[in-house]
């Protein structure tokens, strides 16, 4: 497509973008054609634009259903800043304010109406407002954003979303567009069914997020200092995810005490406090949010530069979505997972607690699923393969590996010979089998390390010849070896009920000395804090900006913050980091040049062009 293509011209005029992101154009064209559609694009893929641009080009109002007030407000603000007439109706408005907005809609002055599902489906809203509106101004389409909320299989199920299928019945000639970032097949199918979409055009974008750097690090005594160093060296916003509320509170206080502007966020804080913390984070008043997974869908902040999982996530899907909150703006961002031995125990403990609330019987299905999910996360953490390839394979998307932007690609872990240890572990399993005893990895490792537990001694395990022969290795190393043997097919594990280790033909080859066992150095031991390595990874994570542009970028950020505060909007509403980076690189000093910066549309050129170009002009002399 050339720059003179009318669709691209509209894209630049309204949003200031020179080109579509992958997948966007096809969705926009289908939306313009007026068929139902289901678009699945990762977080940061740019879903909003896929319905906002058609809303501007089609006749009538586009009605957008959004699950959270914060999301609605955010989008309406962003649109307003691009000079686009959009409004929302929800419970935060006074009766008078809502009536005024409804009048404006009836006069055809509004292009997009954001509305909560409860409101949309409340008595009378459809009959006495929407249906008449369709006859006069027209309704171009219904967009269901965050459409996975309709599915019980998803993580944010909202019963009100179920009612939305009524739209399909009542407005048979208005197209319905569903958008979601869910990666699971089951949820996708459920969306189309629950919303009664009519032969929807299906768009599934790649889930690869090339700008995200992925790494796994051991969690230990030095982790907090690493976290601190990371927050200090990366000036941009970050999120630290923890499993428990208690941990969130502790960690945010520790960060505060160390001079980092951090706030906690979890479901145990009251609504007012949560809103305030989220607001201060979005406005860049604080740098770091320490949170449980309760801090999620509502964050549309595009310039989160890093996400650190300080505890092991519960599932790969969860990890992908949480880490994916980094770098929505397409600029480099880092995702680091800390992984420690204690995490496995905590996770197993939590799984064992999944019991029936009345009878106390274990919920076996749930426990089995949770164990399987845990195993997948552990496999990811342990893997020596390209992290991106492992993640995408999990979602059924092929990737050739060697992404060049993860720890395993940049700094591969060396292979080591673990044949001796493998023999010790396998013979422990063999000895137990001789006694007709079958155990899971935990007990086998305890035996190898010679644990003096009541359980082992009363079972007579301390009389086994293998008892204590592995005391020289940490339990974590033995865990890593066990997982590696399972992955290499040199050991088996039953998956029904409690997992139990079993030998197979390959195990016997190792025991007879016919086969050697290689394993990547365990995460805990492999990566020192070698300066060269750390620096290389930091550059890959985009945390070390080019020093020449750096000063100007920081000056532009300060100007952005000042303007945002004056206008009472979050800084990213003024410009996102990608735009500031382009300014720092290209240094436009007049309006013409400024218009060429990505993210600068007609409205922003008028409104901000002078201030920013003035800063760039003034900044240059004292830099030379
Ligand atoms: P999603 O809803 O898919 O997570 P958003 O619609 O919030 O993503 O968009 C994420 C970011 O990408 C926003 O900052 C948006 O301005 C930016 N963006 C969207 N489309 C483009 C594009 N074509 N070119 C550059 N930036 C874009
Ligand atoms: Mg979105």
């Amino acid at each position: 497509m050339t720059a003179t293509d009318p669709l691209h011209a509209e894209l630049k005029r309204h949003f200031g973008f020179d080109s579509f992101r992958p997948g966007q154009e096809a969705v926009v064209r289908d939306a313009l054609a007026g068929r139902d559609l289901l678009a699945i694009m990762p977080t940061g893929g740019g879903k909003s634009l896929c319905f906002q641009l058609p809303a501007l080009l089609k006749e009538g109002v586009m009605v957008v259903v959004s699950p959270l007030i914060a999301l609605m407000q955010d989008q309406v603000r962003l649109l307003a800043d691009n000079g686009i007439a959009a409004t929302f109706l929800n419970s935060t408005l006074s009766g008078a304010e809502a009536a005024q907005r409804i009048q404006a809609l009836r006069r055809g002055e509004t292009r997009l109406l954001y509305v909560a599902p409860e409101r949309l489906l409340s008595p009378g809203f459809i009959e006495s407002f929407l249906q008449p509106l369709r006859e006069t101004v027209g309704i171009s389409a219904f967009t269901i954003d965050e459409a996975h909320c309709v599915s019980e299989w998803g993580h944010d199920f909202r019963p009100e979303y179920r009612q939305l299928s009524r739209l399909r019945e009542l407005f048979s000639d208005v197209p319905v567009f569903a958008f979601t970032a869910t990666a699971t097949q089951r949820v996708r199918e459920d969306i189309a069914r629950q919303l009664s979409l009519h032969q929807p055009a299906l768009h599934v974008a790649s889930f690869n997020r090339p700008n995200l750097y992925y790494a796994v690090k051991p969690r230990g005594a030095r982790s907090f200092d690493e976290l601190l160093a990371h927050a200090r060296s990366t000036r941009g916003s970050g999120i630290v995810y923890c499993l428990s509320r208690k941990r969130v509170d502790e960690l945010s206080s520790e960060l505060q005490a160390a001079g980092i502007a951090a706030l906690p966020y979890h479901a145990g804080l009251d609504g007012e406090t949560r809103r305030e913390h989220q607001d201060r984070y979005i406005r860049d008043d604080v740098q770091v949010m320490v949170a449980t997974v309760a801090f999620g869908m509502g964050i549309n902040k595009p310039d989160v530069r890093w996400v650190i999982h300080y505890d092991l996530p519960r599932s790969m899907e969860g990890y992908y979505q949480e880490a994916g909150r980094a770098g929505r703006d397409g600029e480099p961002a880092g995702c680091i997972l800390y992984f420690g031995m204690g995490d496995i125990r905590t996770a197993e403990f939590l799984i064992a607690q999944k019991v029936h609330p009345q009878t106390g019987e274990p919920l076996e299905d749930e426990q089995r699923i949770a164990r399987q999910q845990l195993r997948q996360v552990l496999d990811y953490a342990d893997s020596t393969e390209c992290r991106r390839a492992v993640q995408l394979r999990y979602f059924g998307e092929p990737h050739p590996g060697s992404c060049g932007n993860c720890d395993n690609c940049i700094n591969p872990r060396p292979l080591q010979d673990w044949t001796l240890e493998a023999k010790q572990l396998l013979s422990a399993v063999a000895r137990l089998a001789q006694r007709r005893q079958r155990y899971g990895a935990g007990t086998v490792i305890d035996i190898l390390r010679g644990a003096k537990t009541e359980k082992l001694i009363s079972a007579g395990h301390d009389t086994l010849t293998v008892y204590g022969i592995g005391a020289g290795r940490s339990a974590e190393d033995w865990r890593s070896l066990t997982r590696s043997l399972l992955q290499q097919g040199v050991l088996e594990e039953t998956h029904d009920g409690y997992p139990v280790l079993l030998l197979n033909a390959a195990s016997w080859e190792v025991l007879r000395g016919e086969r050697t066992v290689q394993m990547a150095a365990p995460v805990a031991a492999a990566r020192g804090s070698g300066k060269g390595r750390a620096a290389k990874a930091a550059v890959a994570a985009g945390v070390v900006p080019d020093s020449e542009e750096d000063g100007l970028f920081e000056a532009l950020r300060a100007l952005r913050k000042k303007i945002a505060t004056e206008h009472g909007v979050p800084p990213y509403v003024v410009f996102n980091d990608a735009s500031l980076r382009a300014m720092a690189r290209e240094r436009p000093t007049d309006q013409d040049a400024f218009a060429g910066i990505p993210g600068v549309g007609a409205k922003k050129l008028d409104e901000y062009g002078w201030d920013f170009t003035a800063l760039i002009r003034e900044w240059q002399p004292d830099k030379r």
Side-chain angles (χ1 to χ4, degrees), residues 341 345 425 428 432 439-457 461-462 464 466-471 473-475 478-479 482 498:
M341 184 62 189
R345 264 188 250 115
L425 193 145
L432 289 167
Y439 286 98
T443 307
V444 175
I445 291 169
D446 280 349
I447 293 171
L448 287 167
R449 302 193 68 242
K452 293 185 176 48
T453 67
E454 176 63 36
K455 187 180 152 199
L456 290 198
I457 292 165
H461 294 324
D462 54 343
L464 289 167
V466 290
Y467 181 79
I469 54 170
R473 292 271 182 195
S474 70
W478 286 112
R479 290 263 174 184
T482 311
Y498 191 79

mmCIF file of all heavy atoms in Angstrom, residues 341 345 425 428 432 439-457 461-462 464 466-471 473-475 478-479 482 498:
data_model
loop_
_atom_site.group_PDB
_atom_site.id
_atom_site.type_symbol
_atom_site.label_atom_id
_atom_site.label_comp_id
_atom_site.label_asym_id
_atom_site.label_seq_id
_atom_site.Cartn_x
_atom_site.Cartn_y
_atom_site.Cartn_z
ATOM 1 N N MET A 341 13.399 -22.539 44.571
ATOM 2 C CA MET A 341 12.952 -23.820 45.095
ATOM 3 C C MET A 341 11.692 -23.667 45.939
ATOM 4 O O MET A 341 10.754 -24.454 45.832
ATOM 5 C CB MET A 341 14.094 -24.365 45.960
ATOM 6 C CG MET A 341 13.854 -25.714 46.520
ATOM 7 S SD MET A 341 13.681 -26.884 45.175
ATOM 8 C CE MET A 341 13.158 -28.290 46.127
ATOM 9 N N ARG A 345 7.481 -25.566 46.306
ATOM 10 C CA ARG A 345 6.819 -26.058 47.516
ATOM 11 C C ARG A 345 5.545 -25.273 47.794
ATOM 12 O O ARG A 345 4.504 -25.861 48.081
ATOM 13 C CB ARG A 345 7.772 -25.981 48.706
ATOM 14 C CG ARG A 345 8.452 -27.308 48.944
ATOM 15 C CD ARG A 345 9.252 -27.299 50.234
ATOM 16 N NE ARG A 345 10.672 -27.326 49.940
ATOM 17 C CZ ARG A 345 11.520 -26.342 50.216
ATOM 18 N NH1 ARG A 345 11.096 -25.238 50.795
ATOM 19 N NH2 ARG A 345 12.780 -26.449 49.919
ATOM 20 N N LEU A 425 19.923 -41.173 40.961
ATOM 21 C CA LEU A 425 18.483 -40.927 41.089
ATOM 22 C C LEU A 425 17.685 -42.131 40.582
ATOM 23 O O LEU A 425 16.749 -42.612 41.231
ATOM 24 C CB LEU A 425 18.113 -39.664 40.312
ATOM 25 C CG LEU A 425 16.727 -39.099 40.590
ATOM 26 C CD1 LEU A 425 16.772 -37.575 40.525
ATOM 27 C CD2 LEU A 425 15.683 -39.584 39.607
ATOM 28 N N ALA A 428 17.778 -45.031 42.909
ATOM 29 C CA ALA A 428 16.879 -44.867 44.061
ATOM 30 C C ALA A 428 15.461 -45.310 43.673
ATOM 31 O O ALA A 428 14.798 -46.025 44.430
ATOM 32 C CB ALA A 428 16.880 -43.419 44.524
ATOM 33 N N LEU A 432 13.458 -48.596 45.321
ATOM 34 C CA LEU A 432 12.109 -48.492 45.892
ATOM 35 C C LEU A 432 11.162 -49.455 45.187
ATOM 36 O O LEU A 432 10.323 -50.090 45.819
ATOM 37 C CB LEU A 432 11.597 -47.049 45.788
ATOM 38 C CG LEU A 432 12.287 -46.061 46.730
ATOM 39 C CD1 LEU A 432 11.962 -44.619 46.351
ATOM 40 C CD2 LEU A 432 11.869 -46.325 48.181
ATOM 41 N N TYR A 439 7.076 -43.781 44.633
ATOM 42 C CA TYR A 439 7.032 -42.451 45.236
ATOM 43 C C TYR A 439 7.162 -41.346 44.197
ATOM 44 O O TYR A 439 7.650 -41.575 43.096
ATOM 45 C CB TYR A 439 8.162 -42.290 46.260
ATOM 46 C CG TYR A 439 7.899 -43.053 47.532
ATOM 47 C CD1 TYR A 439 8.456 -44.304 47.738
ATOM 48 C CD2 TYR A 439 7.072 -42.506 48.520
ATOM 49 C CE1 TYR A 439 8.207 -45.010 48.905
ATOM 50 C CE2 TYR A 439 6.820 -43.208 49.687
ATOM 51 C CZ TYR A 439 7.388 -44.455 49.881
ATOM 52 O OH TYR A 439 7.146 -45.142 51.027
ATOM 53 N N GLY A 440 6.787 -40.160 44.605
ATOM 54 C CA GLY A 440 6.984 -38.980 43.769
ATOM 55 C C GLY A 440 8.391 -38.429 43.955
ATOM 56 O O GLY A 440 9.163 -38.906 44.793
ATOM 57 N N ALA A 441 8.700 -37.413 43.169
ATOM 58 C CA ALA A 441 10.052 -36.851 43.169
ATOM 59 C C ALA A 441 10.477 -36.361 44.550
ATOM 60 O O ALA A 441 11.633 -36.529 44.948
ATOM 61 C CB ALA A 441 10.133 -35.708 42.162
ATOM 62 N N GLY A 442 9.529 -35.778 45.293
ATOM 63 C CA GLY A 442 9.873 -35.196 46.594
ATOM 64 C C GLY A 442 10.526 -36.219 47.516
ATOM 65 O O GLY A 442 11.595 -35.971 48.087
ATOM 66 N N THR A 443 9.912 -37.390 47.640
ATOM 67 C CA THR A 443 10.432 -38.420 48.537
ATOM 68 C C THR A 443 11.758 -38.977 48.024
ATOM 69 O O THR A 443 12.706 -39.185 48.796
ATOM 70 C CB THR A 443 9.402 -39.567 48.680
ATOM 71 O OG1 THR A 443 8.165 -38.992 49.060
ATOM 72 C CG2 THR A 443 9.849 -40.583 49.699
ATOM 73 N N VAL A 444 11.822 -39.200 46.705
ATOM 74 C CA VAL A 444 13.058 -39.748 46.140
ATOM 75 C C VAL A 444 14.227 -38.796 46.422
ATOM 76 O O VAL A 444 15.321 -39.224 46.820
ATOM 77 C CB VAL A 444 12.896 -40.014 44.620
ATOM 78 C CG1 VAL A 444 14.225 -40.455 44.010
ATOM 79 C CG2 VAL A 444 11.808 -41.067 44.379
ATOM 80 N N ILE A 445 13.983 -37.516 46.265
ATOM 81 C CA ILE A 445 15.043 -36.524 46.507
ATOM 82 C C ILE A 445 15.408 -36.485 47.989
ATOM 83 O O ILE A 445 16.587 -36.431 48.360
ATOM 84 C CB ILE A 445 14.619 -35.134 45.976
ATOM 85 C CG1 ILE A 445 14.573 -35.174 44.447
ATOM 86 C CG2 ILE A 445 15.575 -34.043 46.458
ATOM 87 C CD1 ILE A 445 13.921 -33.967 43.801
ATOM 88 N N ASP A 446 14.410 -36.564 48.849
ATOM 89 C CA ASP A 446 14.688 -36.613 50.294
ATOM 90 C C ASP A 446 15.574 -37.806 50.629
ATOM 91 O O ASP A 446 16.495 -37.710 51.457
ATOM 92 C CB ASP A 446 13.378 -36.714 51.092
ATOM 93 C CG ASP A 446 12.690 -35.357 51.235
ATOM 94 O OD1 ASP A 446 13.329 -34.333 50.894
ATOM 95 O OD2 ASP A 446 11.519 -35.325 51.666
ATOM 96 N N ILE A 447 15.306 -38.938 50.005
ATOM 97 C CA ILE A 447 16.117 -40.133 50.264
ATOM 98 C C ILE A 447 17.554 -39.890 49.796
ATOM 99 O O ILE A 447 18.515 -40.135 50.527
ATOM 100 C CB ILE A 447 15.506 -41.368 49.556
ATOM 101 C CG1 ILE A 447 14.157 -41.731 50.206
ATOM 102 C CG2 ILE A 447 16.472 -42.558 49.595
ATOM 103 C CD1 ILE A 447 13.366 -42.802 49.463
ATOM 104 N N LEU A 448 17.695 -39.369 48.575
ATOM 105 C CA LEU A 448 19.039 -39.118 48.041
ATOM 106 C C LEU A 448 19.813 -38.162 48.933
ATOM 107 O O LEU A 448 21.018 -38.326 49.143
ATOM 108 C CB LEU A 448 18.945 -38.527 46.628
ATOM 109 C CG LEU A 448 18.523 -39.505 45.533
ATOM 110 C CD1 LEU A 448 18.160 -38.750 44.256
ATOM 111 C CD2 LEU A 448 19.661 -40.503 45.257
ATOM 112 N N ARG A 449 19.125 -37.164 49.453
ATOM 113 C CA ARG A 449 19.818 -36.165 50.265
ATOM 114 C C ARG A 449 19.907 -36.599 51.733
ATOM 115 O O ARG A 449 20.409 -35.867 52.571
ATOM 116 C CB ARG A 449 19.140 -34.803 50.133
ATOM 117 C CG ARG A 449 19.101 -34.329 48.670
ATOM 118 C CD ARG A 449 18.725 -32.879 48.542
ATOM 119 N NE ARG A 449 19.793 -32.036 49.075
ATOM 120 C CZ ARG A 449 19.675 -31.205 50.098
ATOM 121 N NH1 ARG A 449 18.524 -31.097 50.719
ATOM 122 N NH2 ARG A 449 20.690 -30.485 50.495
ATOM 123 N N GLY A 450 19.367 -37.775 52.043
ATOM 124 C CA GLY A 450 19.486 -38.300 53.401
ATOM 125 C C GLY A 450 18.703 -37.513 54.435
ATOM 126 O O GLY A 450 19.165 -37.307 55.554
ATOM 127 N N ALA A 451 17.525 -37.050 54.044
ATOM 128 C CA ALA A 451 16.711 -36.269 54.985
ATOM 129 C C ALA A 451 16.337 -37.126 56.187
ATOM 130 O O ALA A 451 16.036 -38.308 56.037
ATOM 131 C CB ALA A 451 15.455 -35.764 54.283
ATOM 132 N N LYS A 452 16.410 -36.504 57.371
ATOM 133 C CA LYS A 452 16.106 -37.279 58.581
ATOM 134 C C LYS A 452 14.671 -37.028 59.004
ATOM 135 O O LYS A 452 14.404 -36.595 60.116
ATOM 136 C CB LYS A 452 17.069 -36.873 59.699
ATOM 137 C CG LYS A 452 18.495 -37.284 59.375
ATOM 138 C CD LYS A 452 19.450 -37.020 60.499
ATOM 139 C CE LYS A 452 20.838 -37.538 60.177
ATOM 140 N NZ LYS A 452 21.327 -37.135 58.838
ATOM 141 N N THR A 453 13.754 -37.289 58.109
ATOM 142 C CA THR A 453 12.359 -37.050 58.473
ATOM 143 C C THR A 453 11.752 -38.318 59.045
ATOM 144 O O THR A 453 12.155 -39.435 58.703
ATOM 145 C CB THR A 453 11.511 -36.608 57.255
ATOM 146 O OG1 THR A 453 11.435 -37.703 56.344
ATOM 147 C CG2 THR A 453 12.105 -35.407 56.556
ATOM 148 N N GLU A 454 10.791 -38.097 59.905
ATOM 149 C CA GLU A 454 10.028 -39.164 60.536
ATOM 150 C C GLU A 454 9.501 -40.140 59.485
ATOM 151 O O GLU A 454 9.642 -41.357 59.595
ATOM 152 C CB GLU A 454 8.867 -38.479 61.283
ATOM 153 C CG GLU A 454 7.877 -39.405 61.945
ATOM 154 C CD GLU A 454 8.519 -40.241 63.038
ATOM 155 O OE1 GLU A 454 9.416 -39.712 63.724
ATOM 156 O OE2 GLU A 454 8.128 -41.429 63.184
ATOM 157 N N LYS A 455 8.955 -39.524 58.406
ATOM 158 C CA LYS A 455 8.320 -40.313 57.347
ATOM 159 C C LYS A 455 9.324 -41.299 56.734
ATOM 160 O O LYS A 455 9.033 -42.489 56.565
ATOM 161 C CB LYS A 455 7.791 -39.348 56.283
ATOM 162 C CG LYS A 455 6.951 -40.001 55.203
ATOM 163 C CD LYS A 455 6.474 -38.956 54.198
ATOM 164 C CE LYS A 455 6.271 -39.592 52.833
ATOM 165 N NZ LYS A 455 6.259 -38.610 51.753
ATOM 166 N N LEU A 456 10.526 -40.809 56.425
ATOM 167 C CA LEU A 456 11.523 -41.663 55.779
ATOM 168 C C LEU A 456 11.996 -42.759 56.726
ATOM 169 O O LEU A 456 12.146 -43.919 56.344
ATOM 170 C CB LEU A 456 12.739 -40.847 55.342
ATOM 171 C CG LEU A 456 12.579 -39.861 54.193
ATOM 172 C CD1 LEU A 456 13.939 -39.490 53.633
ATOM 173 C CD2 LEU A 456 11.713 -40.450 53.101
ATOM 174 N N ILE A 457 12.243 -42.364 57.977
ATOM 175 C CA ILE A 457 12.826 -43.320 58.914
ATOM 176 C C ILE A 457 11.823 -44.420 59.272
ATOM 177 O O ILE A 457 12.146 -45.603 59.261
ATOM 178 C CB ILE A 457 13.379 -42.581 60.152
ATOM 179 C CG1 ILE A 457 14.588 -41.741 59.676
ATOM 180 C CG2 ILE A 457 13.800 -43.548 61.256
ATOM 181 C CD1 ILE A 457 15.053 -40.680 60.620
ATOM 182 N N HIS A 461 13.470 -46.147 54.925
ATOM 183 C CA HIS A 461 14.227 -45.716 53.749
ATOM 184 C C HIS A 461 15.690 -45.420 54.079
ATOM 185 O O HIS A 461 16.543 -45.425 53.207
ATOM 186 C CB HIS A 461 13.593 -44.465 53.120
ATOM 187 C CG HIS A 461 12.239 -44.713 52.544
ATOM 188 N ND1 HIS A 461 11.901 -45.893 51.920
ATOM 189 C CD2 HIS A 461 11.138 -43.931 52.476
ATOM 190 C CE1 HIS A 461 10.652 -45.824 51.503
ATOM 191 N NE2 HIS A 461 10.151 -44.645 51.847
ATOM 192 N N ASP A 462 15.963 -45.165 55.363
ATOM 193 C CA ASP A 462 17.350 -44.850 55.724
ATOM 194 C C ASP A 462 18.246 -46.081 55.647
ATOM 195 O O ASP A 462 19.459 -45.988 55.789
ATOM 196 C CB ASP A 462 17.421 -44.190 57.113
ATOM 197 C CG ASP A 462 16.742 -45.025 58.178
ATOM 198 O OD1 ASP A 462 15.954 -45.936 57.812
ATOM 199 O OD2 ASP A 462 16.988 -44.780 59.375
ATOM 200 N N LEU A 464 18.267 -47.921 52.878
ATOM 201 C CA LEU A 464 18.574 -48.111 51.455
ATOM 202 C C LEU A 464 20.026 -47.704 51.186
ATOM 203 O O LEU A 464 20.528 -46.757 51.794
ATOM 204 C CB LEU A 464 17.650 -47.242 50.589
ATOM 205 C CG LEU A 464 16.178 -47.655 50.491
ATOM 206 C CD1 LEU A 464 15.347 -46.528 49.881
ATOM 207 C CD2 LEU A 464 16.035 -48.930 49.671
ATOM 208 N N VAL A 466 21.104 -46.191 48.698
ATOM 209 C CA VAL A 466 21.161 -44.872 48.060
ATOM 210 C C VAL A 466 20.861 -43.739 49.043
ATOM 211 O O VAL A 466 20.985 -42.568 48.686
ATOM 212 C CB VAL A 466 20.169 -44.774 46.873
ATOM 213 C CG1 VAL A 466 20.633 -45.644 45.711
ATOM 214 C CG2 VAL A 466 18.758 -45.139 47.307
ATOM 215 N N TYR A 467 20.491 -44.083 50.267
ATOM 216 C CA TYR A 467 20.119 -43.058 51.248
ATOM 217 C C TYR A 467 21.308 -42.127 51.506
ATOM 218 O O TYR A 467 22.384 -42.577 51.911
ATOM 219 C CB TYR A 467 19.670 -43.716 52.554
ATOM 220 C CG TYR A 467 19.236 -42.733 53.619
ATOM 221 C CD1 TYR A 467 17.964 -42.145 53.574
ATOM 222 C CD2 TYR A 467 20.088 -42.393 54.660
ATOM 223 C CE1 TYR A 467 17.573 -41.240 54.551
ATOM 224 C CE2 TYR A 467 19.701 -41.496 55.644
ATOM 225 C CZ TYR A 467 18.443 -40.920 55.582
ATOM 226 O OH TYR A 467 18.052 -40.031 56.541
ATOM 227 N N GLY A 468 21.130 -40.863 51.205
ATOM 228 C CA GLY A 468 22.164 -39.873 51.495
ATOM 229 C C GLY A 468 23.292 -39.771 50.473
ATOM 230 O O GLY A 468 24.185 -38.938 50.627
ATOM 231 N N ILE A 469 23.268 -40.581 49.397
ATOM 232 C CA ILE A 469 24.408 -40.496 48.471
ATOM 233 C C ILE A 469 24.408 -39.201 47.662
ATOM 234 O O ILE A 469 25.404 -38.842 47.060
ATOM 235 C CB ILE A 469 24.504 -41.689 47.463
ATOM 236 C CG1 ILE A 469 23.186 -41.854 46.697
ATOM 237 C CG2 ILE A 469 24.981 -42.952 48.120
ATOM 238 C CD1 ILE A 469 23.286 -42.827 45.543
ATOM 239 N N GLY A 470 23.292 -38.505 47.680
ATOM 240 C CA GLY A 470 23.226 -37.265 46.893
ATOM 241 C C GLY A 470 23.239 -36.018 47.752
ATOM 242 O O GLY A 470 22.795 -34.954 47.307
ATOM 243 N N ALA A 471 23.741 -36.149 48.964
ATOM 244 C CA ALA A 471 23.685 -35.009 49.892
ATOM 245 C C ALA A 471 24.498 -33.815 49.397
ATOM 246 O O ALA A 471 24.270 -32.682 49.802
ATOM 247 C CB ALA A 471 24.158 -35.441 51.277
ATOM 248 N N ARG A 473 24.478 -32.410 46.570
ATOM 249 C CA ARG A 473 23.757 -31.537 45.635
ATOM 250 C C ARG A 473 22.530 -30.956 46.317
ATOM 251 O O ARG A 473 21.907 -31.627 47.153
ATOM 252 C CB ARG A 473 23.270 -32.361 44.421
ATOM 253 C CG ARG A 473 24.396 -32.845 43.539
ATOM 254 C CD ARG A 473 24.682 -31.811 42.489
ATOM 255 N NE ARG A 473 25.725 -32.239 41.575
ATOM 256 C CZ ARG A 473 26.348 -31.393 40.759
ATOM 257 N NH1 ARG A 473 26.025 -30.109 40.769
ATOM 258 N NH2 ARG A 473 27.270 -31.826 39.956
ATOM 259 N N SER A 474 22.166 -29.757 45.931
ATOM 260 C CA SER A 474 20.990 -29.140 46.555
ATOM 261 C C SER A 474 19.715 -29.812 46.060
ATOM 262 O O SER A 474 19.697 -30.435 44.985
ATOM 263 C CB SER A 474 20.936 -27.655 46.205
ATOM 264 O OG SER A 474 20.621 -27.505 44.834
ATOM 265 N N ALA A 475 18.673 -29.686 46.848
ATOM 266 C CA ALA A 475 17.379 -30.235 46.442
ATOM 267 C C ALA A 475 16.948 -29.622 45.106
ATOM 268 O O ALA A 475 16.358 -30.278 44.262
ATOM 269 C CB ALA A 475 16.338 -29.968 47.518
ATOM 270 N N TRP A 478 18.552 -31.430 42.279
ATOM 271 C CA TRP A 478 17.907 -32.733 42.057
ATOM 272 C C TRP A 478 16.565 -32.556 41.358
ATOM 273 O O TRP A 478 16.187 -33.356 40.517
ATOM 274 C CB TRP A 478 17.735 -33.487 43.380
ATOM 275 C CG TRP A 478 19.022 -34.051 43.902
ATOM 276 C CD1 TRP A 478 19.694 -33.660 45.009
ATOM 277 C CD2 TRP A 478 19.794 -35.105 43.310
ATOM 278 N NE1 TRP A 478 20.845 -34.385 45.163
ATOM 279 C CE2 TRP A 478 20.933 -35.296 44.138
ATOM 280 C CE3 TRP A 478 19.644 -35.909 42.179
ATOM 281 C CZ2 TRP A 478 21.905 -36.252 43.865
ATOM 282 C CZ3 TRP A 478 20.616 -36.860 41.901
ATOM 283 C CH2 TRP A 478 21.730 -37.031 42.730
ATOM 284 N N ARG A 479 15.860 -31.485 41.726
ATOM 285 C CA ARG A 479 14.589 -31.187 41.038
ATOM 286 C C ARG A 479 14.825 -30.930 39.561
ATOM 287 O O ARG A 479 14.104 -31.411 38.707
ATOM 288 C CB ARG A 479 13.948 -29.922 41.618
ATOM 289 C CG ARG A 479 13.415 -30.092 42.985
ATOM 290 C CD ARG A 479 11.932 -30.374 42.885
ATOM 291 N NE ARG A 479 11.445 -30.681 44.209
ATOM 292 C CZ ARG A 479 10.218 -31.038 44.480
ATOM 293 N NH1 ARG A 479 9.334 -31.135 43.505
ATOM 294 N NH2 ARG A 479 9.851 -31.320 45.697
ATOM 295 N N THR A 482 15.557 -34.103 37.824
ATOM 296 C CA THR A 482 14.353 -34.919 37.639
ATOM 297 C C THR A 482 13.540 -34.409 36.455
ATOM 298 O O THR A 482 13.125 -35.187 35.589
ATOM 299 C CB THR A 482 13.471 -34.883 38.910
ATOM 300 O OG1 THR A 482 14.290 -35.161 40.039
ATOM 301 C CG2 THR A 482 12.351 -35.898 38.827
ATOM 302 N N TYR A 498 -1.774 -38.801 42.354
ATOM 303 C CA TYR A 498 -0.502 -38.295 42.832
ATOM 304 C C TYR A 498 0.616 -38.755 41.903
ATOM 305 O O TYR A 498 0.728 -39.938 41.599
ATOM 306 C CB TYR A 498 -0.267 -38.798 44.261
ATOM 307 C CG TYR A 498 0.889 -38.094 44.897
ATOM 308 C CD1 TYR A 498 0.738 -36.809 45.408
ATOM 309 C CD2 TYR A 498 2.137 -38.693 44.944
ATOM 310 C CE1 TYR A 498 1.805 -36.139 45.965
ATOM 311 C CE2 TYR A 498 3.216 -38.031 45.503
ATOM 312 C CZ TYR A 498 3.043 -36.759 46.017
ATOM 313 O OH TYR A 498 4.102 -36.095 46.549
#
